[in-house]
């Protein structure tokens, strides 16, 4: 019998237990690889309760650049001690890694999923005055006027770009793609009438909808939020083959995060998703999740698999995802 392996296992278990008892003894930094006003909005809602539960400050560190890759790589290369975490979206961890030829990390190998924080419902919106009032009308009009309808996305290779291109394939229409750098510029473009339609999250679209600057043609990626009119249809009712790119925000640590530290972070994060916060977010099309690391990991792998098929199909017909 190899007694040395027993000793090593015992030592590892003891060190993990000690890490859990001591963690955390200093502030926990959550890196958000985007500018303020996006993913970090969710983290700021969680910040106080999570900090109180851990007994240490939660510091939000916005490290934007390269479609989220700069901040994400930073966390992948950080020590797996629980003090440097990543809050990011499926736009980076699913669609971004599948469409880019230069990804400086591996989603499965380089990270420890902590919990999925939320899932976002999306919508196809149209500016006022367009000659169509439904998805079916849009399809009919676009078929009669190929390339004349302009749609906005949050950038080349973004989840919204994938959704727009897959809509074109499954609906059999030719729309003119206009990429913007983020949700803010898309909202401004729709409000200014620069584009006819946009694929966007309901949460980001709400100011336009409430201000009469746009109207929803359909929703997708979840149940209809109460902020959308009751008659708003689900996208697949008009385009049955349409499949959306996953839309979520999640919390990660670097690879090899000790199990006790991982579970301590999971408990604190899930606790911070209060019933009040869940109710507020549900109204704007964001469903708070708070699942286990294993459940989140399964969803990531499933999302990568399903979206890889979409990307492969789009690339086969010549869609370009990099500038």
């Amino acid at each position: 019998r190899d007694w040395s392996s027993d000793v090593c296992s015992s030592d590892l278990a003891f060190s993990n237990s000690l890490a859990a008892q001591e963690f955390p003894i200093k502030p926990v930094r959550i890196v958000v690889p985007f500018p303020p006003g996006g993913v970090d909005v969710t983290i700021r809602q969680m910040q106080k309760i999570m900090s109180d539960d851990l007994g240490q400050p939660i510091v939000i560190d916005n490290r934007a650049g390269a479609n989220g890759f700069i901040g994400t790589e930073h966390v992948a290369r950080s020590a797996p001690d629980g003090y440097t975490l990543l809050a990011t979206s499926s736009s980076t961890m699913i669609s971004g890694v599948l469409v880019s030829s230069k990804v400086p990390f591996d989603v499965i190998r380089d990270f420890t999923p902590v919990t999925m924080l939320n899932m976002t419902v999306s919508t196809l919106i149209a500016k006022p005055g367009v000659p169509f009032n439904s998805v079916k009308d849009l399809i009919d009009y676009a078929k009669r006027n190929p390339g004349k309808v302009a749609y906005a996305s949050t950038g080349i290779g973004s989840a919204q770009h994938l959704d727009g291109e897959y809509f074109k394939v499954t609906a059999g229409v030719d729309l003119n793609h206009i990429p913007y750098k983020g949700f803010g510029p898309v909202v401004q473009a729709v409000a200014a009438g620069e584009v006819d339609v946009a694929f966007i999250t309901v949460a980001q679209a709400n100011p336009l909808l409430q201000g009469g600057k746009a109207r929803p043609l359909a929703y997708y990626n979840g149940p209809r939020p109460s902020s959308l009119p009751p008659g708003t249809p689900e996208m697949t009712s008009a385009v049955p083959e349409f499949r959306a790119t996953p839309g979520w925000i999640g919390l990660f640590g670097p690879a090899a995060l000790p199990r006790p530290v991982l579970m301590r972070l999971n408990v604190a994060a899930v606790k911070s998703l209060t019933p009040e916060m869940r109710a507020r977010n549900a109204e704007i099309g964001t469903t708070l999740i708070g699942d286990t690391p294993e459940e989140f990991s399964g969803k990531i792998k499933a999302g990568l698999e399903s979206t890889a098929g979409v990307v492969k199909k789009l690339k086969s017909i010549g869609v370009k995802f990099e500038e």
Side-chain angles (χ1 to χ4, degrees):
R1 179 173 179 176
D2 185 0
W3 295 100
S4 63
S5 65
D6 290 352
V7 172
C8 290
S9 297
S10 175
D11 288 347
L12 181 60
F14 177 76
S15 64
N16 279 348
S17 174
L18 191 62
Q21 292 173 18
E22 294 180 346
F23 179 84
I25 57 173
K26 60 181 182 179
V28 173
R29 184 165 58 103
I30 299 181
V31 174
V32 177
F34 305 106
V39 169
D40 61 316
V41 172
T42 297
I43 304 303
R44 292 181 197 284
Q45 292 180 67
M46 301 165 53
Q47 195 171 12
K48 184 180 187 310
I49 291 176
M50 190 171 175
S51 175
D52 289 347
D53 188 73
L54 292 174
Q56 292 290 340
I58 299 291
V59 179
I60 299 172
D61 181 3
N62 291 89
R63 293 196 176 209
N67 293 324
F69 285 1
I70 290 176
T72 302
E73 182 185 15
H74 173 76
V75 175
R77 308 291 175 247
S78 297
D81 53 14
Y83 292 105
T84 303
L85 304 177
L86 171 72
T88 191
S89 70
S90 53
S91 194
T92 293
M93 304 300 262
I94 302 289
S95 55
V97 301
L98 290 173
V99 303
S100 177
S101 60
K102 298 177 181 179
V103 183
F105 53 83
D106 184 286
V107 172
I108 304 301
R109 183 193 64 215
D110 293 337
F111 297 95
T112 303
V114 177
T115 187
M116 180 185 286
L117 299 175
N118 68 39
M119 295 181 68
T120 53
V121 181
S122 292
T123 178
L124 172 59
I125 59 173
K127 71 177 182 181
V130 292
F132 41 82
N133 296 306
S134 67
V135 176
K136 183 181 181 303
D137 289 346
L138 165 61
I139 293 171
D140 291 342
Y141 180 83
K143 285 181 176 179
R144 295 194 307 270
N145 300 274
K148 296 292 180 67
V149 177
Y151 87 87
S153 83
T154 53
I156 294 174
S158 67
Q160 290 69 37
H161 183 201
L162 264 69
D163 290 344
E165 293 303 311
Y166 204 58
F167 174 84
K168 286 166 58 174
V169 170
T170 52
V173 295
D174 178 19
L175 307 182
N176 182 27
H177 176 222
I178 310 295
Y180 292 86
K181 294 183 177 180
F183 284 114
V186 168
V187 169
Q188 293 171 3
V190 175
E194 294 175 9
V195 292
D196 302 297
V197 298
F199 294 83
I200 189 172
T201 64
V202 173
Q204 295 289 341
N206 275 328
L208 287 171
L209 302 177
Q210 293 166 5
K213 299 290 186 179
R215 65 174 183 273
L217 300 182
Y219 67 90
Y220 57 94
N221 249 2
R224 181 186 62 80
S226 59
S227 61
L228 294 184
T232 308
E234 205 278 329
M235 181 74 84
T236 55
S237 66
V239 188
E241 294 182 359
F242 177 78
R243 296 292 178 272
T245 305
W248 48 254
I249 291 173
L251 190 64
F252 297 81
L257 196 64
R259 179 74 182 180
V261 173
L262 168 62
M263 295 315 298
R264 182 72 184 90
L265 289 167
N266 175 271
V267 168
V270 173
K271 183 177 180 180
S272 71
L273 304 176
T274 64
E276 294 78 14
M277 184 176 167
R278 289 177 183 275
R280 288 197 309 271
N281 278 265
E283 291 177 359
I284 61 170
T286 302
T287 303
L288 300 190
I289 305 298
D291 53 5
T292 68
E294 292 74 22
E295 289 169 336
F296 186 24
S297 179
K299 292 169 186 173
I300 294 167
K301 291 173 182 175
L304 285 167
E305 183 177 343
S306 64
T307 308
V310 171
V311 171
K312 183 178 180 180
K313 184 170 184 176
L314 293 175
K315 284 185 175 180
S316 72
I317 60 173
V319 177
K320 303 295 183 183
F321 290 113
E322 294 183 281
E323 298 184 71

